[in-house]
């Protein structure tokens, strides 16, 4: 039986304690429909780094919930309890802006597809609509030299090491540049890694709906093993070079684990030109 995030909330909270988060190197953050300006500017060359702590909260925990918080919790539970039907995506790749490859898939279509698969197995949704993800705006990103929105989702932000999903999207169109599934490797909770593998499974199932389940599990197991075997002190930025790229058609995947950051299973659009560009940087290329 698979372990769901809500099954480990109480145990995790007892071990985590009160932690203060910080936000840095972004121009603004959006949470739900509320926009908060952040004072510090981005540093050159750090426009799209996956923040090692995933700087995602606003103060110490626990706090006394107020009526607005309770209403938000109730609304969240209501959304996650709504039936989600399976939705198979037809994923194509295009160049959106010069040098910027994207999946021609709206972010909420990815969310709907993920939730449809999750509902079929669990009887509930996992992901909230994109408007309820934390979002950041960058001048450039890991796979684009253009202004990019970074959306970040945690099922429960009070559980600090809970695995998360990040989506990078161009600022000018409803497409997807990159999806990463993220695991806090500094966590010693076995349950968290189980949840991480589930997120890897459903994310890859969205991207490869015809791939047999055992092949999907073999794929993410291999990618995650490579991440730990090729850990590096080079943070996850546009300058990062992964150890290997696995691809099928125009969908590429690679692992990345920098010291002090999360383990990332990264999914990007690829063309033959992009594959050759990565090969020339020393990336091992595997077609599956």
């Amino acid at each position: 039986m698979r372990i769901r995030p809500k099954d480990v909330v109480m145990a995790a909270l007892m071990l985590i304690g009160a932690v203060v988060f910080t936000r840095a190197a972004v121009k603004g953050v959006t949470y739900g429909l509320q926009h908060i300006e952040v004072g510090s500017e981005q540093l050159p060359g750090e426009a799209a780094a996956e923040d090692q702590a995933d700087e995602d909260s606003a103060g110490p925990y626990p706090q006394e919930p107020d009526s607005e918080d309770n209403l938000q919790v109730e609304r969240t539970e209501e959304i996650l309890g709504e039936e989600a039907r399976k939705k198979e995506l037809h994923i194509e790749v295009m160049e959106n802006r010069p040098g910027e490859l994207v999946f021609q898939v709206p972010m909420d279509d990815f969310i709907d597809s993920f939730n449809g698969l999750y509902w079929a197995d669990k009887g509930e949704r996992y992901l909230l609509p994109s408007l309820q993800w934390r979002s950041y705006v960058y001048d450039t990103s890991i796979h684009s030299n253009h202004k990019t929105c970074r959306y970040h989702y945690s099922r429960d932000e009070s559980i600090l090491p809970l695995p998360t999903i990040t989506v990078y999207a161009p600022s000018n169109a409803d497409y997807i540049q990159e999806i990463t599934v993220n695991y806090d490797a500094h966590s010693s909770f076995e349950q968290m890694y189980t949840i991480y593998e589930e997120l890897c499974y459903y994310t890859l199932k969205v991207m490869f709906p015809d791939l047999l389940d055992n092949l999907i599990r073999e794929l993410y197991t291999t990618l995650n093993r490579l991440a730990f075997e090729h850990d590096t002190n080079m943070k996850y930025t546009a300058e990062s070079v992964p150890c290997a790229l696995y691809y099928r058609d125009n969908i590429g995947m690679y692992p990345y684990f920098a010291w002090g950051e999360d383990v990332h299973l990264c999914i990007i659009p690829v063309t033959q030109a992009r594959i050759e560009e990565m090969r020339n940087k020393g990336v091992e290329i595997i077609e599956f």
Side-chain angles (χ1 to χ4, degrees):
M1 181 177 67
R2 292 187 177 124
I3 301 171
R4 293 180 290 183
K6 66 181 182 181
D7 298 326
V8 297
V9 172
M10 296 307 299
L13 290 179
M14 292 176 64
L15 292 171
I16 292 167
V19 176
V20 178
F21 297 80
T22 59
R23 297 189 183 95
V26 294
K27 293 185 176 179
V29 55
T30 304
Y31 186 38
L33 299 179
Q34 180 182 12
H35 186 77
I36 305 170
E37 290 297 333
V38 179
S40 60
E41 291 290 331
Q42 292 173 265
L43 297 177
E46 296 184 354
E50 278 279 4
D51 306 295
Q52 54 265 37
D54 275 321
E55 75 281 359
D56 287 327
S57 189
Y61 187 88
Q63 298 177 357
E64 193 67 29
D66 56 26
S67 58
E68 186 176 344
D69 292 333
N70 289 331
L71 288 173
Q72 180 62 40
V73 169
E74 291 176 5
R75 177 57 183 149
T76 295
E77 292 178 348
E78 180 183 343
I79 294 173
L80 296 177
E82 294 174 355
E83 182 179 358
R85 297 184 178 181
K86 286 187 177 181
K87 181 175 186 176
E88 187 170 321
L89 303 183
H90 300 284
I91 300 174
E92 297 183 0
V93 170
M94 63 169 283
E95 184 178 48
N96 178 49
R97 294 174 290 194
E100 177 189 70
L101 296 179
V102 295
F103 295 120
Q104 286 183 279
V105 175
M107 179 176 167
D108 278 310
D109 279 6
F110 164 76
I111 291 172
D112 289 345
S113 183
F114 186 107
N115 282 334
L117 293 167
Y118 198 83
W119 176 277
D121 292 340
K122 311 283 188 176
E124 64 176 346
R125 295 170 181 251
Y126 188 90
L127 302 176
L128 289 170
S130 60
L131 280 176
Q132 293 176 262
W133 292 35
R134 289 188 181 270
S135 63
Y136 308 78
V137 178
Y138 296 93
D139 288 335
T140 62
S141 71
I142 296 170
H143 295 289
S144 174
N145 290 323
H146 307 278
K147 185 166 288 189
T148 296
C149 302
R150 173 181 177 264
Y151 296 88
H152 188 76
Y153 181 81
S154 171
R155 175 70 176 262
D156 188 333
E157 292 184 351
S158 68
I159 304 177
L160 308 188
L162 191 65
T164 60
I165 294 179
T166 302
V167 174
Y168 295 89
S171 62
N172 71 332
D174 193 8
Y175 299 135
I176 294 174
Q177 289 177 3
E178 178 180 15
I179 301 168
T180 67
V181 186
N182 316 298
Y183 169 67
D184 180 1
H186 310 92
S187 163
S188 59
F189 303 132
E190 182 179 349
Q191 300 99 321
M192 296 301 169
Y193 195 76
T194 299
I195 295 168
Y196 171 65
E197 288 189 315
E198 280 199 342
L199 296 186
C200 291
Y201 169 80
Y202 287 107
T203 301
L204 292 178
K205 190 69 173 176
V206 170
M207 307 306 289
F208 306 104
D210 60 332
L211 204 60
L212 295 176
D213 288 353
N214 64 314
L215 295 180
I216 290 178
R217 294 189 178 95
E218 181 180 330
L219 181 60
Y220 71 65
T221 298
T222 299
L223 290 167
N224 290 328
R225 174 179 56 79
L226 289 173
F228 286 106
E229 290 178 355
H230 294 83
D231 57 328
T232 175
N233 62 0
M234 178 69 175
K235 295 185 181 300
Y236 188 48
T237 70
E239 304 303 317
S240 302
V241 179
C243 62
L245 173 76
Y246 282 66
Y247 79 96
R248 188 182 189 205
D249 298 326
N250 292 114
I251 301 173
M253 295 147 293
Y254 60 85
Y256 203 84
F257 178 29
W259 303 340
E261 296 184 346
D262 286 349
V263 173
H264 304 301
L265 190 157
C266 309
I267 303 172
I268 61 169
V270 295
T271 60
Q272 283 303 311
R274 181 59 53 86
I275 290 170
E276 291 307 313
E277 177 185 329
M278 296 184 74
R279 192 196 307 274
N280 292 335
K281 291 181 179 179
V283 179
E284 182 181 6
I285 305 298
I286 301 98
E287 185 177 10
F288 72 95

